[in-house]
Amino acid sequence: MENEAGALSRVAGLFSARGYNIESLTVAPTEDASMSRMTLVTRGSEEIIEQITKQLNKLIDVIKLQDLTEGTHIEREMLLIKVRAMNSGREEVMRLTDIFRGSIIDVTEQSFTIEITGASEKLDAFIEALDKELIIETVRSGVTGIARGEKSLQV
Amino acid sequence: MELTGAEILVRFLKDEGVRHVFGYPGGAVLHIYDALYKQDKVEHILVRHEQGATHAADGYARATGKPGVALVTSGPGATNAVTGIATAYMDSVPMVVITGQVPTNLIGNDAFQEVDSVGITRPCVKHNFLVKRVEDLAITLKRAFYIATTGRPGPVVVDVPKDITAAKTDYVFPRKVEMRSYKPVTKGHIGQIKRAVKLMLSAERPMIYTGGGVVLGGGSQLLTEMTRLLGFPITNTLMGLGAYPGTDKQFLGMLGMHGTYEANMAMHHCDVLIAIGARFDDRVTGNIEKFCSKAKIIHVDIDPSSISKNVRVDIPIVGTVEQVLRDMLRILKEKKGGPDKAAIKAWWKQIEEWRKTDCLKYETSPEVIKPQFVLENLYKVTRGNAYVTSDVGQHQMWAAQFYKFSKPYRWINSGGLGTMGFGLPAAMGVQIAHPRSTVACVTGEGSIQMCIQELATCLQYGLPIKIITLNNRFLGMVRQWQEFFYEGRYAMSYMESLPDFVKLAESYGHVGMRIEDPADVAPALKEAMAMKKRLVFMDFVTDQTENVYPMIPAGAGLNEMILV
C-alpha cells in the first residue's frame, strides 16, 4: 500500500465497519520507501473472503493485493517470551529452547528472554510446552508471509 | 508566479471548470474566502448550515452529472457536513468537499474548532486527503476530482490546514493525474458480454432491472435502445428512475419494498435477470433467500465489490454501464435471430395479468386531500418536465410511484442513506444548475423542518423552488410501520406544535399557500408554477391515515406483497 498516514486505519476501519475479523496484522515499509507491505490474517467463508478482497482493492491506498492462501506460501511469526528461570529450571528452559530452535537473547539471574520464529502453530506449541507458572510475559509479532517459488507481489 | 494556497485553491477550481461552490465561512477558511472575494469566476453560494452546503452540492451533481463542490470550515463546519457527505457516499454521487483545518502546528493539540475531519469522514468517503504542504495542494485537488468522478463516483474530502492556505508556491494547473493505486476499469470483458447476450436471447421470461448506475454512468439512451430492441420488460430501482422512460409500455414501474405488483412479480418469476448499475439493496430484494430463485443473473456494474455481494450472480461484467451497453448492443445487433418471440409474448401476457391489479390505485375523496392525488397533479401540471427532489418518507415513495420520470437526472432523492432534510438544499443545487427549469421539492412537514433554514439561501439567490409539502401531521412512514407492526402505538410519530408554514414562508420573504380542499389542488399548483420568480411553499393538508401501498414487509419475498 501507499506509505501514507491513515492507510492503516483505512484497512482497520474497513474491517470493523463491515464486521470482518482481523486475526493479526503486520505492516512495515518496503525497499521502496513510498510503499509499505501489510500482511493480514483473517478468516471467513469463500464469499466473505471474496468480499474482503474486493473491498480492500477498492481502497485508494491499496496498490496491490494477493491472497497468499491461493498458492503455496510460507508464513512466519516471531515470539519473544520472558520466563522465570532459576536453579535447575534454567537447564530445562534451555533444552526446550534448543528443541524449538529458539535462542535466548537476554539473561538475568532469575529469567531468560527467548526468541522463536516459525509458523504460528510452532509458537503455540512452545508456549504449551512451558510450565504456565514460569511465563512472565509474551509478545508475538503477528504473521507475515510470502509466496513460494518465483511468484512475487510486485508493483 | 507565486500564489498563496488560498489563491491556488480558487484558481484550481476555476481551471477545473467549477462554476459554483456551496459553503459557509469560518476561521480556518478565511484566507480561502478572501481569495474567493477577489475574483468572479467561481460563484459562492452561502448556505445557512453546512449540511445544506453538502446536500446542495450533491443535488447540483445529481442534476448535471458534474461534481458538486462544497467548502466548509474546520471543527463544527466539518462535522455538520458529514450527513451530506454520507448521503452522497451511499448514492455514489461525485462531490468534492473542502474542509478547513487548524494550522498544521496545532493539529492534535485540541485547538479551537479542531476535529479530525479525515478520521471522522473516512468511513463515508470514497477517499480523503489532509494537505500537509502547499506544494501538494493543486495535485491533491486534482486527485480529489479525478477520484470523485471516475470509477464508481463518490465524495472526496480535502482537508486544508489554515497555514497551507497562507503559504506560497508556484501554481501550474495539473492537467493530468496518474495514480498507481487507482486505475478504474471502463470496458467490460467482451467474452462475458457475449455470454450475457447469449443468455439474454435464450430467455423465456427475461427481466431488466436497472439502478442509479445507469443514470450516473450516462447509459440511459443506450439502455432505452437496447430494451426496445429486445422487447423485454424493465423495472428501475428508486435511484434508477428516469433512466428508462416512465411512460413507456415496457416499463413496469419501480420495484422493491414499495414497488409495483407487476415489477416485483416479474422479478420473482423471471428466468433471466439482467441487472445493470444496481446493487441488490435490501429494500429491493426483500428476503434474499427468496429473491429471483428461478433466474440466471447477469450483473453489469462498475464496482466489482457490488457484484455477488448480496446475491450470487452467474455472469458478472465489470465496466462502465455506457461502455458495456455499447458493446452489448453491438453484439446484439450482429446476432442473427432475436429473442424467442412466442415465449416473450406469453411472458407479456402474464405481466399484463399482473398489471390489471392496478396496484397504485387509491380512493379519491371530495373532502380530504389524498397525497397521491397531489403527486398525480404535480405530474400533470409540470407535464413531467420538472426536476423533482424529495425528502425521506411516505412522500418520497409516492413521488417515486406517481411522478413518471422520463429523463435521467430529474429525480433527486436520498435513496441509500435516507436523509431527511435532503430535499430543500438539494433543490437549491438543482435550481442553481438549471436556473430556468421548474424544480419541485416534494417533502413532508417532518423532513422540511430538518433544513428549513435554507429558505433564507433561496431568497438570497432568488431560487424559485416549488416546495410541495404533504402535511399529514405525522411522520408518515414511521406511523405506517407503527400501524402495521406495533399495533398502532404511535410513539413520537405525531408532529405537534407545527409552525404556520404560510407565515413561515412569508417571514422568509417567500410565498406561502395552504391547500385543504381537493378541488384546490390542481389550480393551486398551476398558480404556484406560474410564479416563475418566486419560491412558493405549498402546504397541502393531507389525509392522516393514508399508507404507501403496495408494501413488502421486511423479511418477505417479492411475491408476498401487501396490496391494500
Side-chain angles (χ1 to χ4, degrees), chain A residues 2 5-6 9-10 32 34-35 47 50-51 54-55 58 60-63, chain B residues 122 126-128 132 147 152 179-182 303-305 307-309 312:
Chain A
E2 298 288 351
S9 85
R10 284 181 214 281
D32 175 347
S34 72
M35 279 189 273
E47 286 77 23
E50 184 184 328
Q51 257 308 302
K54 287 170 169 177
Q55 293 292 349
K58 223 165 107 172
I60 307 286
D61 283 337
V62 171
I63 302 171
Chain B
R122 196 173 285 134
K126 187 169 172 191
H127 197 58
N128 57 17
K132 286 186 185 145
I147 293 170
R152 178 177 181 173
M179 293 175 72
R180 63 180 171 188
S181 57
Y182 178 69
D303 179 1
S305 71
I307 289 173
S308 292
K309 181 174 71 180
R312 214 60 215 165

Side-chain angles (χ1 to χ4, degrees), chain B residues 49-120:
Chain B
H49 184 290
E50 288 88 350
Q51 183 183 349
T54 40
H55 288 330
D58 180 326
Y60 184 92
R62 292 187 206 225
T64 59
K66 290 192 277 189
V69 181
L71 169 62
V72 300
T73 193
S74 65
T79 55
N80 280 345
V82 169
T83 300
I85 296 168
T87 303
Y89 181 65
M90 285 294 273
D91 291 341
S92 309
V93 177
M95 186 159 98
V96 173
V97 179
I98 297 156
T99 53
Q101 184 53 277
V102 301
T104 41
N105 67 324
L106 289 181
I107 289 179
N109 282 14
D110 300 327
F112 175 65
Q113 291 194 329
E114 180 186 0
V115 75
D116 176 10
S117 303
V118 167
I120 282 181

